[in-house]
Amino acid sequence: MYPPTLARVPCGGMPPSAILFPGQGSQTDDMRVMVERFRPELLQAAVQVVGEDPFARIGDGTRFAQPAIFCASLAGWEALGRPEGDFMAGHSLGELAALVAASSLREHDALELVALRGRLMQEAGERAGDGGMLALMGRGAAERAPELARARGLTVANDNAPQQVVLSGPRTALPDAAAAASELGLRPMELEVTGAFHSPMMASAAPAFDGALERVEVSPPTVTVVSAVTAQPFDDVRLRLLEALTRPVRWRETMLALQALGAERFIEVGPGRVLSGLAKRTLADVELVHA
């Protein structure tokens, strides 16, 4: 463990910036083109690590989607000239890209971790069976979601924004949660996923991922990277990445923490604009930029 990196003073008169790396669900049709253009060697490495081109099978689960999005995120960061920013954060798997950008993890180590993580999560979902996720959207979602989850044996998996929360757990419990959410004026939507991610149903993925984390070298980040598990700067990188398998993504709190640390400009570097949209719904008086 080591203390969090202190925020650096911005230079050149620019407002303090936070670089954001997206997670699963941010994929776009042009991702592979961006990786081919800006990081062709990373694409080759991904094919070798995964065993085939992950972009060709991105719809076949986390095993392929996660390494593809990881590569596209780093390609987007490259396209912007590798901005360091004053802070960084990543949504779920995006944390590994953020830690690469902050020189905490070596790129190839992180690619291997992402590929393993995606495979383990998919296998854990298949082993547990009956796992699913339910998005709740609308005013009051963040306040209503915890009680809705507790009453039905579900977990708040993604606290994304005040108006968007995702529940995770047994698929059989989702229809009742959706009905209750509708009665509260929320809009429920069951997600097409292969498991109950960010919940205790992912526990079987933890031992193998823990072993892999112990084998990689971890350095103190060169900039402050806020963990979406704790909504505070990373302290123990290995532990927080391991916990991210079974604990909620506290993205709303992460955005608020970045703003409290001084971030005024939020730059999303990966595919899609999911994180920009969530930041817009969570923060006021900040500048939003997309690669």
Side-chain angles (χ1 to χ4, degrees):
M1 295 178 64
Y2 44 79
T5 305
L6 294 177
R8 296 179 299 111
V9 176
C11 59
M14 294 294 292
S17 299
I19 313 295
L20 307 180
F21 294 83
Q24 198 161 336
S26 298
Q27 54 263 35
T28 60
D29 293 337
D30 62 348
M31 286 197 311
R32 194 182 192 282
V33 174
M34 175 172 278
V35 180
E36 266 190 318
R37 178 180 177 186
F38 292 101
R39 294 299 313 276
E41 76 287 358
L42 182 57
L43 175 59
Q44 293 174 2
V47 172
Q48 291 178 343
V49 169
V50 176
E52 56 186 296
D53 187 342
F55 291 91
R57 298 188 59 186
I58 198 166
D60 293 338
T62 61
R63 176 181 175 183
F64 303 104
Q66 292 197 19
I69 294 169
F70 170 82
C71 292
S73 296
L74 290 180
W77 183 56
E78 183 78 25
L80 284 182
R82 297 193 172 202
E84 292 184 358
D86 303 279
F87 314 97
M88 292 184 182
H91 190 287
S92 189
L93 87 94
E95 293 191 319
L96 287 116
L99 290 165
V100 169
S103 301
S104 181
L105 293 175
R106 294 190 179 115
E107 183 176 88
H108 194 80
D109 287 345
L111 174 59
E112 291 185 335
L113 287 173
V114 168
L116 176 64
R117 183 184 192 271
R119 178 173 63 79
L120 291 173
M121 289 176 67
Q122 187 161 335
E123 291 173 351
E126 292 167 354
R127 268 194 303 271
D130 191 40
M133 302 181 79
L134 180 74
L136 305 178
M137 294 165 286
R139 181 173 296 179
E143 290 76 20
R144 300 282 194 171
E147 180 54 36
L148 281 171
R150 281 193 298 269
R152 291 155 186 87
L154 299 170
T155 298
V156 174
N158 300 75
D159 183 353
N160 286 330
Q163 308 90 358
Q164 186 188 117
V165 176
V166 180
L167 306 185
S168 187
R171 194 175 296 274
T172 52
L174 300 185
D176 185 47
S182 294
E183 291 179 2
L184 294 172
L186 301 175
R187 300 187 305 280
M189 181 178 69
E190 190 166 344
L191 304 182
E192 294 184 11
V193 294
T194 57
F197 302 135
H198 301 293
S199 82
M201 293 182 77
M202 288 289 106
S204 66
F209 195 58
D210 188 20
L213 287 167
E214 287 300 323
R215 292 190 292 272
V216 301
E217 181 179 341
V218 177
S219 302
T222 55
V223 300
T224 298
V225 183
V226 176
S227 162
V229 170
T230 63
Q232 295 185 24
F234 267 95
D235 46 10
D236 187 327
V237 168
R238 293 186 182 90
L239 175 61
R240 300 310 173 202
L241 290 176
L242 179 64
E243 290 177 334
L245 294 177
T246 55
R247 291 181 60 178
V249 181
R250 296 167 59 183
W251 192 249
R252 175 175 58 91
E253 294 173 78
T254 297
M255 292 295 96
L256 293 170
L258 287 167
Q259 188 177 44
L261 285 168
E264 299 175 9
R265 192 168 185 254
F266 291 76
I267 305 170
E268 183 175 8
V269 302
R273 301 194 177 188
V274 171
L275 300 185
S276 299
L278 296 178
K280 185 177 181 179
R281 293 175 176 85
T282 304
L283 305 174
D285 302 321
V286 297
E287 180 183 357
L288 302 177
V289 181
H290 186 271

